[in-house]
Amino acid sequence: MTGATAAKIWGVAGCQVVELRSHSDARGGMTFVENGRDLPFDIARMYWLYGSQPGQLRGAHAHKALRQLYVAVAGRCEVVLRDPESSQRVVLDRPDRGLLLGPMVWRQVENISHDAVLLVAASEPYCEDDYLRDFAAYLAAARVQ
Ligand code: TYD
């Protein structure tokens, strides 16, 4: 990964905030992500969350193998990351900053502003079998890794 710059790395396995390559001039800003350059995975899928209602939570699951990049391209949200040893709350409120999530990390998205658009780039196509949606089952699986 030579493009994006790791801003912060914590104890939560495989997760870090990255400053994404950007260009800004008198016309405004632009942020870019390229396979083979900016991420530790190639993008197989993108989706985005929007129109969140007040108090609504998203996520509350882990993925067995999936890697993801979260970017709040508009608005603001908080992502609570957990693994068996640690937890971390990350505020996403800039379109030029991303959160990389590794496999086997429990995540919950909270305090989502109504105008938030949370862009997600993912390393694999959608696969329900890759989800761990029960926290106790997630902890048991993560502890034996
Ligand atoms: P889910 O990942 O459970 O969203 P959240 O964690 O925010 O609640 O996805 C909600 C539903 O959307 C899920 O039942 C299946 C569907 N879905 C797809 O079909 N393709 C996708 O790429 C994603 C992310 C979800």
Side-chain angles (χ1 to χ4, degrees):
M1 196 170 98
T2 56
T5 313
K8 210 168 173 188
I9 302 175
W10 318 283
V12 178
C15 293
Q16 64 189 69
V17 166
V18 287
E19 304 296 335
L20 299 166
R21 286 189 300 125
S22 299
H23 173 84
S24 128
D25 60 29
R27 300 168 298 169
M30 181 188 287
T31 295
F32 8 93
V33 173
E34 273 178 53
N35 281 342
R37 182 163 179 185
D38 297 296
L39 302 179
F41 59 84
D42 279 352
I43 297 170
R45 171 171 55 116
M46 296 183 72
Y47 60 94
W48 40 101
L49 307 179
Y50 49 88
S52 182
Q53 297 305 308
Q56 201 59 56
L57 303 177
R58 303 300 303 252
H61 60 247
H63 288 281
K64 297 172 193 168
L66 192 71
R67 308 179 121 212
Q68 291 170 303
L69 172 74
Y70 283 11
V71 183
V73 293
R76 179 189 189 281
C77 65
E78 297 173 17
V79 186
V80 179
L81 303 168
R82 288 195 64 175
D83 69 14
E85 275 78 46
S86 49
S87 69
Q88 178 78 39
R89 180 178 294 269
V90 181
V91 175
L92 293 179
D93 59 0
R94 286 176 45 175
D96 59 353
R97 177 174 289 172
L99 171 64
L100 285 169
L101 295 98
M104 293 304 284
V105 172
W106 189 267
R107 86 289 309 273
Q108 182 160 296
V109 188
E110 304 180 352
N111 297 320
I112 310 168
S113 64
H114 181 63
D115 63 344
V117 180
L118 181 63
L119 178 71
V120 182
S123 63
E124 307 292 339
Y126 175 76
C127 174
E128 184 58 34
D129 285 349
D130 187 63
Y131 282 74
L132 291 164
R133 293 189 183 273
D134 176 77
F135 187 64
Y138 157 72
L139 275 184
R143 286 199 174 112
V144 297
Q145 280 206 323

